[in-house]
Structure formats: C-alpha cells, structure tokens
Amino acid sequence: MDHAGFSALAGFVAATLRGETPPPLPEGIAALAQAHRLAGLLHHHRAPLHPADAARCAEVWRRALWAHLRRLKTWRQVWPEAAPAPLLIKGADLAERLYQDPGARPANDLDLLVTPAAFEPLRAALSAQADEIRSARYERHPWERAYSLGFLFDGALIELHAGLLPPHRGGPSACGLWHRGEAARLQGRAIRYPTPVDRLLITLTNIAKDGGRMDLLSALELGLLLSASGLGRRGLGLLAAHHGLGRVAWLSRARLDLLLRAPSHPRLPWLLTDDVYEPNHALLTLGRAALTPTSGLWGALRRAVHRRP
C-alpha cells in the first residue's frame, strides 16, 4: 500500500473540506487518485499535479463527462412524456448539484427514483425499449417487490428505483424523498433534485449498502454534504437513527473526524479503502450484517450462504 500517496490524497481531502489551499501532490499520484474516484475531481479543482498526472486526471474527467451526457441523452429519449419527473439520486445528482461539473464525479449509471405507484408503469415502458434488464444485485426476499431495476440502452445504463433499499431493510421513504424533491429542468426535461438533508441520507444509505466501506471520495462527499445540510452531530444522529442508519452514521462520522484530525494516521488507509467496487465477499457480508436492523438480518445472512451480493 502506498502510504505516502494515500496521506497526500487524504491531506488534499482534508484541506478541501476546511476550505484551505491543498499542498502539491507527489508525482505518480493519478493511479491512486483514480482508485479512490478522485482523479476527475483533482482536474476539476486544478490541483497542483505533475504534468503526467494532470494529463491522466484530465482524461478521466473527459470520460466521466462524456458518459454522463450520454446517459442523460438516453434518458431524454426513453422516458415517457406523460411519466412523472424522476428524482435524480446518487452519482449523477452529486455531479450536477454538489460539484456542478459532471466530469468531476464518476458514475456507472443514471439513478432515477420514483414513487412505488409510478414504478410498475415505468418498468413496463422501459422494458419494451431496453436491450437488457438487470435486477438489483442486493439481498431481497423472494416475496418482496423489486425496488430497483437496471435498463441498458446501447451501453448506457439507467437504474429505476422505487426505494433505496429492499423493503425489509427500511431506510428513507421513496415517497418522502420524491415529494420533498426540488422541481427543476435538466436538458429540457422535468426532473427533481433531493433536498440537502435527503442527499445526505441517500449517501449514508449507499455506505450501508456497501457494508460500511468508504473511500476518500466518500469521505469528501460526506463532509461536504454534512456542511450543506446544516446538521450538527446531534442532529445527524437523530435523523439517521429515525431511518435505521444510526450505526452507519456514527461509523462514517468517526472516520471523517479522524481524516480531518490526522490525515497521515497509519490506520486511515484501512478505514478508507479503494475496494468499494471489488470488495471481499466475507467482509462485505459482515459489514452489511453489522449495519442492518435486526428485522433485516435474515435477508443478509441468506445471501451470504448463497454467496450472492
């Protein structure tokens, strides 16, 4: 593990959250930055980089921008005119609203949340056009309704959500998130954006789904969203506990506090890892179980037995 490189990137994140000018980054940092999903953001911030690293980060930024615009174009083409405006969530929302630069934030798909009542008609409409339909790769009891489906259109993946978690896991209400959303327009189509507080809840839910794993980008976004939400430590705890996210909020906040206090701490690379997309199956299962409400443990354990994510 490149501890010096990690400490440099952690220092960049800490300085950004404090509103300070980050120090120059060492030569060869681009690969580690990309592993922690920070390469496009380094280009966005015009971070002090070696020319070779700057060129690689710029290329990552260009690819992320192109992919985001391609997915938006696909959404405009396939979304029924009479359908309700979706709530833009996760990576695409953060790219548009948190960074206001789609190239700064990588994403694999376009996540759109609708109310459960709108989900089935939209599933039928998108299924009729899609090249491929993908089920959510996350534990769900066989008798539970689908809460998320992916639709692939000529390589562009759009994920339709009727919730953030399987029904037995609870979490923030899809209806509440959608109705509280801000009505807006994006590339000529009606869309909704989460409130700052809901954006924070969505991020905590994603960390819980990832078994509590966070990389440096996750830590940066948690800090930025906490600041935007206006919630103090007690407010965050109460809000998260209300939605069954109390443990993940405590764990995530503890990591963020350590990052801000000591970005060179020797344990920090093990707490903020770059394996978010390719985790160890056993550790992922244990992490999810530890962060799952008691009523939802059966679904997580059953998936563990069958080795399904």
Side-chain angles (χ1 to χ4, degrees), residues 63-84:
R63 290 202 304 267
L65 174 62
W66 179 86
H68 178 81
L69 294 177
R70 182 187 183 196
R71 287 189 289 265
L72 287 182
K73 179 181 178 181
T74 299
W75 161 65
R76 293 199 318 270
Q77 293 172 338
V78 303
W79 198 258
E81 289 286 345

Short mmCIF file of all heavy atoms in Angstrom, two decimals, residues 63-84:
data_model
loop_
_atom_site.label_atom_id
_atom_site.label_comp_id
_atom_site.label_asym_id
_atom_site.label_seq_id
_atom_site.Cartn_x
_atom_site.Cartn_y
_atom_site.Cartn_z
N ARG A 63 -13.77 11.46 -19.80
CA ARG A 63 -14.56 10.23 -19.95
C ARG A 63 -15.81 10.28 -19.08
O ARG A 63 -16.89 9.85 -19.50
CB ARG A 63 -13.71 9.01 -19.60
CG ARG A 63 -12.62 8.71 -20.61
CD ARG A 63 -12.18 7.25 -20.52
NE ARG A 63 -11.75 6.90 -19.17
CZ ARG A 63 -10.50 6.94 -18.74
NH1 ARG A 63 -9.53 7.37 -19.55
NH2 ARG A 63 -10.19 6.59 -17.51
N ALA A 64 -15.67 10.79 -17.85
CA ALA A 64 -16.83 10.88 -16.96
C ALA A 64 -17.87 11.85 -17.51
O ALA A 64 -19.08 11.59 -17.46
CB ALA A 64 -16.38 11.31 -15.56
N LEU A 65 -17.41 12.97 -18.03
CA LEU A 65 -18.32 13.95 -18.62
C LEU A 65 -19.07 13.36 -19.81
O LEU A 65 -20.29 13.48 -19.92
CB LEU A 65 -17.54 15.19 -19.05
CG LEU A 65 -18.33 16.25 -19.82
CD1 LEU A 65 -19.45 16.82 -18.96
CD2 LEU A 65 -17.39 17.37 -20.29
N TRP A 66 -18.34 12.70 -20.70
CA TRP A 66 -18.96 12.11 -21.90
C TRP A 66 -19.99 11.05 -21.50
O TRP A 66 -21.10 11.02 -22.05
CB TRP A 66 -17.88 11.50 -22.78
CG TRP A 66 -18.43 10.85 -24.01
CD1 TRP A 66 -18.71 11.44 -25.20
CD2 TRP A 66 -18.79 9.46 -24.15
NE1 TRP A 66 -19.22 10.52 -26.08
CE2 TRP A 66 -19.28 9.30 -25.47
CE3 TRP A 66 -18.73 8.35 -23.32
CZ2 TRP A 66 -19.71 8.06 -25.95
CZ3 TRP A 66 -19.17 7.13 -23.79
CH2 TRP A 66 -19.65 7.00 -25.10
N ALA A 67 -19.64 10.19 -20.54
CA ALA A 67 -20.56 9.13 -20.13
C ALA A 67 -21.82 9.72 -19.49
O ALA A 67 -22.94 9.23 -19.72
CB ALA A 67 -19.86 8.18 -19.15
N HIS A 68 -21.66 10.74 -18.68
CA HIS A 68 -22.81 11.38 -18.03
C HIS A 68 -23.75 11.99 -19.08
O HIS A 68 -24.97 11.79 -19.02
CB HIS A 68 -22.30 12.46 -17.08
CG HIS A 68 -23.38 13.23 -16.39
ND1 HIS A 68 -24.04 12.76 -15.27
CD2 HIS A 68 -23.91 14.46 -16.65
CE1 HIS A 68 -24.93 13.65 -14.88
NE2 HIS A 68 -24.88 14.69 -15.70
N LEU A 69 -23.20 12.71 -20.02
CA LEU A 69 -24.03 13.34 -21.05
C LEU A 69 -24.71 12.29 -21.93
O LEU A 69 -25.86 12.47 -22.36
CB LEU A 69 -23.18 14.28 -21.91
CG LEU A 69 -22.61 15.50 -21.18
CD1 LEU A 69 -21.73 16.31 -22.11
CD2 LEU A 69 -23.72 16.36 -20.59
N ARG A 70 -24.02 11.19 -22.18
CA ARG A 70 -24.62 10.12 -22.99
C ARG A 70 -25.81 9.51 -22.25
O ARG A 70 -26.86 9.24 -22.85
CB ARG A 70 -23.57 9.05 -23.28
CG ARG A 70 -24.09 7.91 -24.13
CD ARG A 70 -23.06 6.81 -24.23
NE ARG A 70 -23.51 5.73 -25.11
CZ ARG A 70 -22.95 4.54 -25.13
NH1 ARG A 70 -21.92 4.26 -24.37
NH2 ARG A 70 -23.42 3.61 -25.95
N ARG A 71 -25.67 9.29 -20.94
CA ARG A 71 -26.77 8.71 -20.18
C ARG A 71 -27.95 9.68 -20.11
O ARG A 71 -29.12 9.26 -20.19
CB ARG A 71 -26.29 8.32 -18.78
CG ARG A 71 -25.40 7.09 -18.76
CD ARG A 71 -25.11 6.62 -17.35
NE ARG A 71 -24.22 7.50 -16.64
CZ ARG A 71 -22.91 7.34 -16.54
NH1 ARG A 71 -22.32 6.32 -17.14
NH2 ARG A 71 -22.17 8.19 -15.84
N LEU A 72 -27.68 10.98 -19.98
CA LEU A 72 -28.77 11.95 -19.97
C LEU A 72 -29.50 11.98 -21.31
O LEU A 72 -30.73 12.09 -21.36
CB LEU A 72 -28.23 13.35 -19.65
CG LEU A 72 -27.81 13.61 -18.20
CD1 LEU A 72 -27.34 15.05 -18.05
CD2 LEU A 72 -28.94 13.31 -17.22
N LYS A 73 -28.76 11.89 -22.39
CA LYS A 73 -29.39 11.86 -23.72
C LYS A 73 -30.29 10.63 -23.85
O LYS A 73 -31.41 10.72 -24.37
CB LYS A 73 -28.31 11.84 -24.80
CG LYS A 73 -28.87 11.79 -26.21
CD LYS A 73 -27.75 11.75 -27.24
CE LYS A 73 -28.32 11.66 -28.66
NZ LYS A 73 -27.23 11.60 -29.68
N THR A 74 -29.81 9.49 -23.37
CA THR A 74 -30.62 8.27 -23.41
C THR A 74 -31.88 8.43 -22.59
O THR A 74 -32.98 8.04 -23.02
CB THR A 74 -29.80 7.09 -22.90
OG1 THR A 74 -28.64 6.91 -23.73
CG2 THR A 74 -30.61 5.81 -22.91
N TRP A 75 -31.74 9.00 -21.38
CA TRP A 75 -32.92 9.21 -20.53
C TRP A 75 -33.95 10.09 -21.24
O TRP A 75 -35.15 9.77 -21.23
CB TRP A 75 -32.48 9.86 -19.22
CG TRP A 75 -33.60 10.52 -18.48
CD1 TRP A 75 -34.69 9.92 -17.93
CD2 TRP A 75 -33.76 11.93 -18.24
NE1 TRP A 75 -35.51 10.86 -17.35
CE2 TRP A 75 -34.96 12.09 -17.53
CE3 TRP A 75 -32.99 13.05 -18.54
CZ2 TRP A 75 -35.42 13.35 -17.13
CZ3 TRP A 75 -33.44 14.30 -18.14
CH2 TRP A 75 -34.64 14.43 -17.45
N ARG A 76 -33.53 11.16 -21.88
CA ARG A 76 -34.47 12.03 -22.58
C ARG A 76 -35.21 11.27 -23.68
O ARG A 76 -36.38 11.52 -23.94
CB ARG A 76 -33.74 13.22 -23.21
CG ARG A 76 -33.14 14.19 -22.21
CD ARG A 76 -32.84 15.55 -22.85
NE ARG A 76 -32.27 15.46 -24.18
CZ ARG A 76 -30.97 15.41 -24.46
NH1 ARG A 76 -30.11 15.40 -23.46
NH2 ARG A 76 -30.55 15.35 -25.70
N GLN A 77 -34.52 10.34 -24.32
CA GLN A 77 -35.11 9.62 -25.44
C GLN A 77 -36.09 8.54 -24.99
O GLN A 77 -37.10 8.30 -25.67
CB GLN A 77 -34.01 8.99 -26.29
CG GLN A 77 -33.13 10.01 -27.01
CD GLN A 77 -31.94 9.36 -27.68
OE1 GLN A 77 -31.50 8.25 -27.32
NE2 GLN A 77 -31.37 10.05 -28.66
N VAL A 78 -35.83 7.88 -23.86
CA VAL A 78 -36.64 6.71 -23.49
C VAL A 78 -37.68 7.02 -22.42
O VAL A 78 -38.62 6.23 -22.24
CB VAL A 78 -35.73 5.55 -23.00
CG1 VAL A 78 -34.72 5.18 -24.08
CG2 VAL A 78 -35.02 5.89 -21.69
N TRP A 79 -37.56 8.13 -21.72
CA TRP A 79 -38.51 8.43 -20.64
C TRP A 79 -39.84 8.89 -21.24
O TRP A 79 -39.90 9.83 -22.02
CB TRP A 79 -37.95 9.53 -19.74
CG TRP A 79 -38.61 9.61 -18.40
CD1 TRP A 79 -39.56 10.52 -17.99
CD2 TRP A 79 -38.37 8.77 -17.27
NE1 TRP A 79 -39.92 10.30 -16.69
CE2 TRP A 79 -39.21 9.23 -16.21
CE3 TRP A 79 -37.54 7.68 -17.05
CZ2 TRP A 79 -39.22 8.62 -14.96
CZ3 TRP A 79 -37.55 7.08 -15.81
CH2 TRP A 79 -38.38 7.54 -14.78
N PRO A 80 -40.93 8.22 -20.88
CA PRO A 80 -42.24 8.58 -21.45
C PRO A 80 -42.62 10.03 -21.14
O PRO A 80 -42.40 10.52 -20.03
CB PRO A 80 -43.21 7.60 -20.78
CG PRO A 80 -42.35 6.45 -20.34
CD PRO A 80 -41.03 7.04 -19.99
N GLU A 81 -43.19 10.70 -22.11
CA GLU A 81 -43.55 12.10 -21.95
C GLU A 81 -44.54 12.31 -20.80
O GLU A 81 -44.50 13.31 -20.09
CB GLU A 81 -44.16 12.64 -23.25
CG GLU A 81 -43.16 12.81 -24.38
CD GLU A 81 -42.26 14.02 -24.16
OE1 GLU A 81 -42.59 14.87 -23.30
OE2 GLU A 81 -41.23 14.11 -24.85
N ALA A 82 -45.47 11.36 -20.64
CA ALA A 82 -46.51 11.52 -19.62
C ALA A 82 -46.08 11.04 -18.24
O ALA A 82 -46.82 11.20 -17.27
CB ALA A 82 -47.76 10.75 -20.05
N ALA A 83 -44.90 10.45 -18.13
CA ALA A 83 -44.45 9.92 -16.84
C ALA A 83 -44.04 11.05 -15.90
O ALA A 83 -43.62 12.12 -16.33
CB ALA A 83 -43.27 8.98 -17.06
N PRO A 84 -44.18 10.83 -14.59
CA PRO A 84 -43.75 11.86 -13.63
C PRO A 84 -42.24 12.07 -13.70
O PRO A 84 -41.48 11.16 -14.05
CB PRO A 84 -44.17 11.29 -12.27
CG PRO A 84 -44.28 9.81 -12.49
CD PRO A 84 -44.73 9.63 -13.90
#
